[in-house]
Amino acid sequence: MQCPNTGGAMRFDGDAYVSEGDPSVRFPIEEGIIRAFVPHEGASDDITRTMKAFYEEHPFPNYDGIDSVGRLIEKSMARGFPNLLNRSIPPHAAVLEVGCGTGQLGNFLSIKQRRVVSFDLCLNSLRLATGFKQRNGLNNVTFAHGNLFRLPLKREQFDVLICTGVLHSTDDPVGGYRGFVPLVKPGGYIIIGLYNRYCRMKTVIRQWMYPFMGDRVAWFDPYLRQYNVSEEKRKSWIMDQYVNPRESLHTIDEVLGWFDEQGIEFVRALPTAVFGTRPEFDYNRSLFEPESRGSLFDRLLSQGYEMLFDVDGGLFLMIGRKPLA
């Protein structure tokens, strides 16, 4: 831990982390959660408060049908992204998850003796995360209440940083990303998940329909039509996808610009940045196996194809590597 005000060290004092340089800065541990939320000035703080209130009322996702470690592993392995992470991140790695929601991914990744720190701005979500952790004796994951723009963490501690489905809900996605880079060790990986400007269009159309149709928009939602989810899960999904108060859309080339600005080496994109690459390639190799960034035409074709024929929901991943010093 690092004091967000002075940049100095913090010490653990039984039931709290206390700044050595400014004892008034104190992060207590309550309900198993490090209370390290620090506000920040400007418009970003207004959006943060809005999103915090929204997710306190509508935690996302919940633990629908997951009541044990075995069930968590089963559901996580059946999904492409957690399975890829599990196969790609070695045991004992230090992992930082920013915007963990209800902590399913953090709990899952901690099972292989990885050291996971998971932050979120929503206490109700974190209570679900720690409840599952405590009931199942998962000791390698730490959950903390924090603001992604003021994370109280020392530099260069983490082998992998994961931030998916979060930055597009802020007013300064690139600023949030720039704040993450110093936390990653040289040679470590940064995984960012954002809504794609092109691939998100089918969901955007349903968002336009929602004020007129309400929850009946679920009939047009492929996720809700495909999976038999509980009423609570259904409501949580509808609120996150169609009522969310803040959402921005991005492109592969935009995030490539972020990487280039900070000297981050591009590793790969999911869906692929190179039009014509077989989808199976991405799901049978390591997430950290490099691919070509392709040409501008490649990237436009790839995103256009996903918009028309494949991905519905529009979340895409960009993976970069911090160069060795």
Side-chain angles (χ1 to χ4, degrees), residues 111-304:
I111 293 169
K112 276 195 175 180
Q113 301 302 308
R114 303 178 184 99
R115 295 179 293 112
V116 182
V117 179
S118 294
F119 275 82
D120 201 81
L121 65 101
C122 174
L123 277 171
N124 282 337
S125 295
L126 291 167
R127 290 185 181 107
L128 292 174
T130 55
F132 185 90
K133 166 191 170 178
Q134 292 166 355
R135 288 192 302 273
N136 290 279
L138 300 175
N139 298 318
N140 293 320
V141 57
T142 299
F143 291 104
H145 183 218
N147 182 340
L148 69 85
F149 291 98
R150 297 289 302 277
L151 292 176
L153 296 169
K154 293 181 180 179
R155 299 168 62 94
E156 298 186 353
Q157 288 194 90
F158 298 97
D159 300 294
V160 180
L161 184 147
I162 303 167
C163 182
T164 65
V166 178
L167 291 174
H168 54 231
S169 293
T170 73
D171 79 320
D172 187 13
V174 65
Y177 155 77
R178 288 170 181 153
F180 299 159
V181 173
L183 305 178
V184 180
K185 296 177 183 178
Y189 293 92
I190 297 173
I191 303 172
I192 298 176
L194 293 161
Y195 287 142
N196 186 277
R197 181 173 299 159
Y198 309 108
C199 304
R200 186 71 170 166
M201 290 312 299
K202 286 180 278 187
T203 301
V204 169
I205 291 170
R206 292 195 294 273
Q207 290 172 345
W208 294 339
M209 296 165 58
Y210 184 82
F212 307 100
M213 298 190 65
D215 288 0
R216 289 175 294 173
V217 77
W219 286 101
F220 299 94
D221 186 296
Y223 173 81
L224 295 176
R225 293 185 66 180
Q226 181 178 354
Y227 297 103
N228 182 25
V229 300
S230 68
E231 182 60 27
E232 183 181 4
K233 179 86 170 183
R234 177 178 175 273
K235 184 64 176 178
S236 175
W237 177 265
I238 289 173
M239 295 302 294
D240 181 74
Q241 293 294 298
Y242 304 117
V243 191
N244 199 308
R246 177 71 181 185
E247 178 178 302
S248 58
L249 305 178
H250 306 270
T251 67
I252 290 176
D253 283 87
E254 179 184 354
V255 182
L256 282 174
W258 298 1
F259 282 3
D260 292 343
E261 177 195 73
Q262 297 290 313
I264 300 299
E265 301 166 353
F266 171 72
V267 175
R268 65 166 45 248
L270 289 178
T272 178
V274 182
F275 176 71
T277 301
R278 290 174 58 83
E280 292 86 354
F281 178 88
D282 293 321
Y283 291 93
N284 288 292
R285 294 187 178 178
S286 170
L287 269 174
F288 305 137
E289 185 170 335
E291 71 168 8
S292 168
R293 65 197 289 165
S295 66
L296 174 60
F297 188 57
D298 275 321
R299 296 189 291 272
L300 287 172
L301 281 176
S302 179
Q303 291 167 104

